[in-house]
Amino acid sequence: MKNKKTKKLQSKSYKKNQELGQTKNSAKLVLFIFGIGPIIGITIFLYSKGFFNAPNM
């Protein structure tokens, strides 16, 4: 009796760990996109406006 219960509990916890791993990976991807994306966008915008060009005297 006990073996069947422990096997069911182990399989359930394994499935939860797999789902949690997928959630962690997708969360990391979303944070990377929304963290790096605006920085790249601002850099392109400033470059197009000539912010990084040396001033002419």
Side-chain angles (χ1 to χ4, degrees):
M1 248 356 233
K2 286 186 179 181
N3 287 340
K4 288 184 180 180
K5 271 190 173 180
T6 56
K7 284 183 181 180
K8 285 183 181 178
L9 289 174
Q10 286 176 351
S11 66
K12 285 182 182 178
S13 65
Y14 181 71
K15 287 180 183 178
K16 284 183 182 178
N17 287 339
Q18 277 185 331
E19 291 173 4
L20 187 61
Q22 290 174 353
T23 306
K24 282 184 179 180
N25 288 339
S26 58
K28 287 179 184 179
L29 180 66
V30 168
L31 286 174
F32 180 76
I33 290 171
F34 285 105
I36 300 296
I39 294 171
I40 294 172
I42 291 169
T43 304
I44 291 171
F45 173 77
L46 290 174
Y47 184 76
S48 70
K49 297 295 179 181
F51 183 78
F52 298 108
N53 295 337
N56 294 330
M57 294 185 112

